[in-house]
Amino acid sequence: MDGCGRIFHGLPARCAVNPELGYETEVRLLQSAAQKKKVMVIGSGPAGMEATQVLRERGHEVILVEKSDTLGGRLHDASMVSFKGLMRNYRDYMIRATQKTGATILLNTEATKELVDRYQPDAVFVATGSNYIKPPIPGIDGEHVHMLADVEHGRETVGGKVVVCGGGLSGLETAVDLARQGKDVTVIDMIPTEKFCANLFMFAYDALFMEVKKAGVKLQGGSRIVEFRENGVVVERNGQLETMTCDDVVIALGLKSENKLAKELLAADPMNTYVIGDADKVNNIRYATRTAYDAVLTMESRIL
Ligand SMILES: Cc1cc2nc3c(=O)[nH]c(=O)nc-3n(C[C@H](O)[C@H](O)[C@H](O)COP(=O)(O)OP(=O)(O)OC[C@H]3O[C@@H](n4cnc5c(N)ncnc54)[C@H](O)[C@@H]3O)c2cc1C
């Protein structure tokens, strides 16, 4: 409800799935592009997939480059908790729609400036997304400390008592998922408890916290992580050090843009390089699809 929920705040409705919604009178997407371009799209998360679909609809030639062995990017992570079935539907739909576009899709291929130079595209869309933040806190590489995606994808398992570090959406979703499996889960964060997920749309916020309560997840704000130890996490709280004992710790401390290649390509050709989605700013699916769509329009307005 990140897009449609805006109407409750007196703002125009937007849509993560359909970036055209609300812009119907402004866009000219019904006619195919006047000048066909050869475009390389780097990364196949929602930004790269949306860009590929819109570019192909407009008649451009597209080479979609993805370093992993599958399309989807972080949609695989955004949909990994058991109760996000609608997100899995969206992921699968986007993958199918992208495969049907007729774009050349190169999987298992990491794009570099050399690869771009070799293909000589007219424009490059950089949709390289983001990486999980793993701060250099003592003990973070310990055996009992796990990154959220490793736990949720079943690559690593956790014991009965778990501390989740990070009171954002992904931390809370994972906490609910683990608590529903019968685990004793506490979520900690530096910010006060009442600020956890404070930017979520109100209905989504209420629904999430209802599930947090129902699942028995405990929330503890105002706790700065000092160290990870074999028996738990040491936090500083109200000026005091305390050890929260647990079997395992899950890290959900956010993401940072993967924009090294974007900077390199922008420096070489700023007019024909478009940075979209999380690579531009860590955000959400609506931002990814919106920036992808806008970038196509911007590219075409430059060539008309
Ligand atoms: C756990 C979790 C839950 C989330 N839940 C939600 C939610 O409920 N709602 C919501 O709106 N958003 C959610 N998000 C955020 C959302 O998933 C991201 O904002 C979105 O996926 C960003 O899309 P993107 O296309 O910019 O990048 P990504 O989805 O990160 O995709 C980037 C792709 O680029 C590829 N890549 C990177 N570098 C290269 C390279 N050099 N060459 C080739 N390929 C490369 C990567 O392998 C990846 O496939 C969640 C995120 C996480 C982590």
Side-chain angles (χ1 to χ4, degrees):
M1 298 192 75
D2 179 60
C4 45
R6 288 162 46 99
I7 57 173
F8 291 90
H9 299 286
L11 297 166
R14 299 286 182 251
C15 181
V17 177
N18 173 15
E20 231 175 284
L21 187 130
Y23 292 92
E24 292 87 348
T25 55
E26 291 168 41
V27 296
R28 305 147 292 153
L29 280 184
L30 293 176
Q31 289 166 11
S32 61
Q35 239 181 296
K36 308 288 186 236
K37 290 268 163 179
K38 177 174 163 185
V39 184
M40 179 176 274
V41 176
I42 302 172
S44 73
M49 292 194 290
E50 182 72 35
T52 299
Q53 291 167 34
V54 180
L55 285 163
R56 287 295 300 139
E57 269 169 35
R58 305 283 298 147
H60 300 288
E61 180 190 341
V62 179
I63 304 141
L64 173 60
V65 185
E66 169 54 51
K67 72 176 175 184
S68 76
D69 60 0
T70 169
L71 300 179
R74 295 263 171 246
L75 286 183
H76 294 285
D77 293 4
S79 62
M80 62 193 167
V81 290
S82 54
F83 47 88
K84 282 176 92 176
L86 286 173
M87 188 67 88
R88 285 190 284 281
N89 291 349
Y90 171 66
R91 175 199 65 191
D92 296 345
Y93 153 75
M94 283 297 274
I95 292 174
R96 277 197 308 272
T98 305
Q99 284 166 338
K100 281 185 190 162
T101 57
T104 302
I105 298 176
L106 307 178
L107 294 177
N108 300 305
T109 309
E110 178 157 2
T112 56
K113 177 148 186 323
E114 291 67 44
L115 186 95
V116 174
D117 290 344
R118 205 175 331 135
Y119 276 86
Q120 298 199 314
D122 300 310
V124 183
F125 282 44
V126 187
T128 46
S130 57
N131 291 313
Y132 287 101
I133 294 172
K134 193 175 175 190
I137 298 170
I140 198 157
D141 290 318
E143 210 183 308
H144 301 283
V145 184
H146 312 268
M147 297 305 283
L148 145 123
D150 291 326
V151 174
E152 285 295 353
H153 285 305
R155 293 188 289 261
E156 293 175 18
T157 52
V158 294
K161 191 167 181 191
V162 182
V163 170
V164 175
C165 300
L169 178 63
S170 54
L172 289 185
E173 283 178 352
T174 297
V176 170
D177 206 33
L178 293 174
R180 285 185 184 177
Q181 294 164 30
K183 299 184 193 298
D184 172 352
V185 186
T186 306
V187 181
I188 62 167
D189 201 306
M190 256 165 55
I191 58 172
T193 310
E194 61 276 14
K195 296 233 166 108
F196 285 15
C197 287
N199 59 348
L200 267 189
F201 173 64
M202 56 188 166
F203 293 172
Y205 181 93
D206 288 347
L208 176 67
F209 281 89
M210 207 165 70
E211 294 307 323
V212 164
K213 201 171 166 193
K214 244 200 288 180
V217 172
K218 286 163 270 180
L219 306 176
Q220 182 180 303
S223 304
R224 188 177 65 83
I225 306 162
V226 176
E227 186 183 356
F228 297 104
R229 291 195 181 150
E230 210 162 287
N231 64 337
V233 194
V234 181
V235 298
E236 186 197 320
R237 195 170 166 222
N238 302 322
Q240 306 280 329
L241 288 184
E242 64 182 65
T243 301
M244 302 180 67
T245 53
C246 61
D247 299 313
D248 288 280
V249 176
V250 177
I251 304 292
L253 293 170
L255 300 124
K256 62 171 185 300
S257 292
E258 172 55 67
N259 55 15
K260 193 166 158 275
L261 180 61
K263 284 182 183 160
E264 218 181 319
L265 295 173
L266 275 171
D269 189 358
M271 285 303 281
N272 296 304
T273 303
Y274 301 87
V275 186
I276 57 178
D278 276 11
D280 176 49
K281 187 172 103 183
V282 172
N283 207 314
N284 57 18
I285 294 165
R286 183 162 71 86
Y287 186 76
T289 55
R290 176 82 245 147
T291 49
Y293 190 88
D294 282 348
V296 179
L297 294 187
T298 307
M299 182 190 82
E300 292 193 347
S301 69
R302 283 183 181 158
I303 62 179
L304 279 176

